[in-house]
């Protein structure tokens, strides 16, 4: 066990992983060094303590009282038992023949049992002497009569056998008792250890739970299959649900319907691959409103690499998200303002350029009439004025020509182009705008389109304009909003491009005028978009028109033909 | 235009056209010439302000946007210099704040190019009429001032006191003169100022000193 943290290695590993999981979730560097000291594990040896204890006891006994243990104590025990046997034998010898045999056998057995093999042999020696002297004829001498020699020899051999058997039995019993004691001590130690580590685990779990509750983020945990096991109170409070109410499909139901497919897909892919999972999604609050969250989840693994559980955290990014949205909106507004401002400025400038010669022209015309109506008519003046009128008209038409040149490139750069390719390229450009306006764009492109000569930039401008109009038209209709851009072959060398929305469609009075300059139904529209589109398409010998589709919504379409 | 006072007949009423566009100057002056109105053209505000004076009769036809000093600015400068010639504005692209500003500053009309003959001539006629009234008023004042110059110091005192409504007796007391002397002075004042009655004299006196009359 670790001397300071009090964890067994397996606990330490778990805890280390646990700590790392939490840190990874919070986006810290994964490094356990600051949580737990990285000592080696050589301190740990589960059997050390019991083993040491027995060894120490044995050494102490041997060194202090060797003489007592191996000389005095066996002699005293043997002497005691033999004396008791002798004292009992004296009265009993007159009642039972050869009683000493049983009594001395008992004494030897007792000595060997209680005093060990040394005491047993001492008792054998003492018994032999006493039996020879007192009970074997001739009595009271150390001689053994011939007829008693076989009996006496049998007695001594039996005595030695009893000693050996008894003492070895005793030793075996002692050994098994010691083994049992050791086992028991070991068991107790292990039990205590387990209890302690249990407490420690509980304590560390309690600390971690306190930590997860204290973090001002929403935290959850699932099993390896992704079934929710725990939510901290921030998450429960936000959702207004208990952990049990989030099991199964309910886990996905708190995510906004638009984010759900991506969320489910990402989460299931993460469960399969075991990679960390991260997504931005709107999560429903208890009041039914949604906020943007960064949902991040990482797996915690067992030592063998299997996933133990998943930890997830929800970080509120509503503010950032709103700021970002506002920024995009502001950029958009700014761009629009600049566009319409330059249009307004241009219109003012054109008006001024044209009004100057027109004013001169009109005043000259009035003057001319006055000269002619005078009595008498001043023909000279009238004629000079008429000259002025011609001059001013020319000047006005120069202005008109210049304005036209401004809107129209003198030399158009036309090249053979694949319309489908052009549209695919444009769809990429439109992607961001479509996401922001919650519109999905579907391309239905015909395969058999001929390549046509066109000004790519201008035609892209036209389609872009139609697509933006279509997306704007759907802003106020329910989702899902879909914009279809379709191409179609029309006869030989003619293609049709249609942009279909399912907005409110086009009012009849609008349809007649929508391609006219300065006609707009939008509050901030310049009314130039579709007029410019018509200009471009007609310059390409094409046609542009609008109709309401049978499914509802408007279809704006144009045709382009092979240039002869 | 029929009842012009003799003193004002000497001066021909003129439309002073200030526009940077030559064709506008030509067109407008041609039209004015055809209807018998005198016109004089300037290409810039600076060119016009070199010649201005209160003796100018007629009106100013001013383009609102001019290079250098603009039309609106020229109107301000005229007012600062107490030149009271009526101003008609014209522009090819006027905005409402500009129109409001110049009309508040006393412009006669604001014409948007291109304008109708009637719009222009009506505005000019209106401007001429107001200019005539202004010049007539100034001429009357001038003659009164001329007459007042012939008064002696004592006669001027008597006239002022008569105009405040005092009787001959009160005037005599205030000036420590005899009643007969006051009557004599008063007779002289009436004659010199060409006043036909007491009321006439009071009116003339008020015109000479408009501040005191209103105060």
């Amino acid at each position: 066990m670790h001397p300071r943290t009090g964890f067994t290695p397996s606990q330490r590993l778990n805890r280390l992983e646990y700590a790392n999981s939490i840190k990874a979730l919070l986006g810290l560097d994964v490094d356990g060094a600051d949580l737990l000291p990285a000592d080696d594990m050589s301190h740990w040896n589960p059997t050390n303590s019991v083993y040491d204890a027995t060894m120490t006891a044995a050494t102490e006994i041997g060194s202090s009282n060797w003489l007592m243990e191996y000389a005095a104590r066996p002699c005293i025990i043997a002497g005691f038992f033999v004396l008791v046997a002798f004292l009992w034998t004296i009265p009993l010898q007159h009642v039972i023949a050869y009683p000493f045999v049983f009594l001395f056998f008992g004494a030897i057995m007792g000595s060997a049992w209680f005093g060990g093999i040394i005491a047993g042999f001492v008792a054998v020696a003492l018994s032999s002497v006493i039996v020879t002297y007192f009970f074997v004829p001739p009595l009271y001498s150390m001689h053994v009569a011939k007829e008693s020699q076989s009996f006496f020899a049998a007695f001594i051999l039996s005595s030695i056998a009893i000693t050996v058997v008894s003492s070895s039995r005793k030793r075996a019993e002692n050994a098994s008792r010691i083994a049992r004691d050791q086992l028991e001590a070991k068991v107790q130690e292990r039990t205590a250890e387990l209890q302690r580590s249990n407490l420690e685990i509980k304590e560390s779990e309690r600390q971690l739970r306190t930590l997860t509750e204290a973090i001002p983020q929403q935290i959850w945990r699932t099993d390896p299959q992704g079934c929710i096991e725990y939510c901290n109170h921030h998450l429960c409070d936000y959702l207004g649900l208990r952990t049990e109410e989030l099991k199964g499909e309910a886990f996905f139901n708190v995510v906004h319907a638009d984010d759900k497919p991506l969320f489910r897909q990402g989460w299931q892919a993460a469960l399969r691959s075991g990679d960390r999972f991260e997504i931005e999604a709107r999560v429903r609050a208890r009041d039914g409103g949604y906020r943007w969250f960064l949902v991040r989840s990482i797996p915690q693994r067992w030592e063998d690499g299997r996933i133990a559980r998943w930890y997830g955290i929800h970080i509120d990014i509503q503010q950032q998200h709103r700021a970002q949205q506002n920024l995009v909106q502001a950029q958009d507004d700014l761009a629009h303002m600049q566009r319409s401002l330059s249009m307004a400025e241009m219109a003012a400038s054109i008006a001024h350029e044209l009004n100057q010669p027109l004013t001169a022209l009109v005043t000259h015309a009035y003057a001319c009439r006055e000269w002619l109506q005078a009595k008498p008519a001043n023909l000279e003046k009238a004629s000079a004025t008429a000259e002025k009128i011609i001059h001013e008209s020319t000047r006005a038409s120069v202005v008109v020509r210049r304005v036209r040149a401004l809107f129209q490139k003198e030399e158009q750069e036309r090249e053979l182009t694949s319309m489908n390719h052009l549209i695919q390229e444009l769809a990429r450009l439109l992607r961001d705008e479509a996401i922001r306006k919650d519109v999905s764009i579907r391309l239905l492109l015909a395969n058999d389109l001929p390549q046509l000569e066109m000004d790519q930039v201008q035609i892209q401008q036209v389609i872009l304009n139609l697509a933006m109009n279509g997306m704007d038209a759907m802003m106020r209709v329910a989702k899902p909003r879909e914009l279809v851009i379709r191409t179609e072959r029309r006869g030989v060398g003619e293609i049709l491009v249609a942009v279909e929305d399912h907005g409110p469609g086009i009012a009849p009075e609008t349809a007649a005028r929508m391609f006219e300059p300065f006609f707009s139904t939008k509050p901030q529209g310049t009314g130039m978009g579709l007029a410019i589109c018509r200009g471009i398409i007609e310059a390409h010998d094409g046609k542009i028109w609008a109709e309401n589709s049978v499914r509802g919504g408007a279809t704006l379409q144009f045709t382009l033909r092979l240039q002869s | 235009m029929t009842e012009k006072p003799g003193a004002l007949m000497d001066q021909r009423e003129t439309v002073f056209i200030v526009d940077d566009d030559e064709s506008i100057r030509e067109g407008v002056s041609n039209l004015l010439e055809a209807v018998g109105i005198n016109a004089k053209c300037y290409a810039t505000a600076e060119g016009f302000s070199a010649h201005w004076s209160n003796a100018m009769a007629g009106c100013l036809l001013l383009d609102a946007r001019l290079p250098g000093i603009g039309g609106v600015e020229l109107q301000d400068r005229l007012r600062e210099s107490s030149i009271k010639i009526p101003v008609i504005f014209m522009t090819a692209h006027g905005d409402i704040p500009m129109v409001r500003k110049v009309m508040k500053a006393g412009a006669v009309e604001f014409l948007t190019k291109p304008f109708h003959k009637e719009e222009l001539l009506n505005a000019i006629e209106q401007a001429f009429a107001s200019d005539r009234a202004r010049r007539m008023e100034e001429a009357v004042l001038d003659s009164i001032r001329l007459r007042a110059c012939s008064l002696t110091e004592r006669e001027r005192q008597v006239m002022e006191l008569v105009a405040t409504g005092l009787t001959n007796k009160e005037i005599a007391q205030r000036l420590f003169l005899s009643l007969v002397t006051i009557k004599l002075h008063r007779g002289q004042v009436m004659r010199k100022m060409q006043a036909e009655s007491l009321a006439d004299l009071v009116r003339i006196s008020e015109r000479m000193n408009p501040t005191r009359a209103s105060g």
Side-chain angles (χ1 to χ4, degrees), chain A residues 164-307:
Chain A
V164 169
V165 169
S166 177
S167 68
S168 69
R169 278 284 305 143
K170 173 69 179 179
R171 233 189 356 264
E173 189 166 305
N174 273 346
S176 80
R177 203 187 67 230
I178 285 168
R180 203 181 58 232
D181 286 353
Q182 282 181 349
L183 189 70
E184 198 162 313
K186 219 185 225 171
V187 166
Q188 273 175 2
E189 179 131 347
R190 279 293 166 87
T191 310
E193 203 172 273
L194 269 173
Q195 278 172 345
R196 205 163 50 243
S197 58
N198 259 341
L199 278 175
E200 278 159 0
I201 287 169
K202 271 188 188 151
E203 173 62 17
S204 76
E205 226 178 57
R206 198 184 61 78
Q207 283 176 359
L208 274 167
R209 185 151 302 194
T210 314
L211 184 69
T212 57
E213 298 293 346
I215 292 170
Q217 308 291 359
Q218 303 173 1
I219 291 173
W220 47 263
R221 187 183 72 212
T222 72
D223 65 9
Q225 282 72 45
C227 183
I228 204 102
E229 286 180 338
Y230 162 75
C231 298
N232 74 345
H233 81 267
H234 288 294
L235 183 55
C236 292
D237 283 357
Y238 177 76
L239 297 174
L241 297 170
R242 282 173 288 114
T243 304
E244 303 79 61
E245 291 171 308
L246 274 170
K247 293 206 188 289
E249 188 60 24
F251 182 67
F252 298 109
N253 284 343
V254 297
V255 178
H256 193 282
D258 287 356
D259 303 332
K260 196 152 81 172
L262 213 61
F263 184 89
R264 185 200 298 272
Q265 217 178 324
W267 175 232
Q268 283 168 351
L271 287 178
R272 275 195 301 277
S273 65
D275 292 334
R276 57 193 298 163
F277 166 62
E278 199 172 290
I279 193 169
E280 288 182 11
R282 281 158 286 184
V283 179
R284 192 177 59 222
R286 60 164 67 215
D287 60 7
Y290 287 91
R291 287 180 78 82
W292 278 96
F293 283 91
L294 173 68
V295 179
R296 187 188 278 173
S297 178
I298 59 155
Q300 186 199 4
R301 295 172 186 277
W302 296 116
E303 275 133 281
D304 60 6
R306 282 183 304 115
I307 289 172

Side-chain angles (χ1 to χ4, degrees), chain A residues 496-515:
Chain A
L496 173 117
V497 179
V499 178
E500 300 173 10
D501 64 60
H502 53 85
I506 306 162
E509 64 270 21
T510 307
R513 299 188 54 206
M514 62 192 291
F515 291 103

Side-chain angles (χ1 to χ4, degrees), chain B residues 1 33 43 45 48 57 62 101 108 120 123-124 158 166 177 181 200:
Chain B
M1 290 188 192
E33 191 189 344
F48 172 71
L62 183 59
K101 182 177 186 302
V108 176
L120 177 67
I124 288 174
V158 171
L166 298 182
L177 293 172
T181 317
D200 207 12

Side-chain angles (χ1 to χ4, degrees), chain B residues 33-54:
Chain B
E33 191 189 344
V35 297
I37 297 174
N38 197 23
K40 208 165 177 185
C41 297
Y42 298 92
T44 60
E46 289 88 339
F48 172 71
S49 58
H51 297 98
W52 74 29
S53 80
N54 252 335

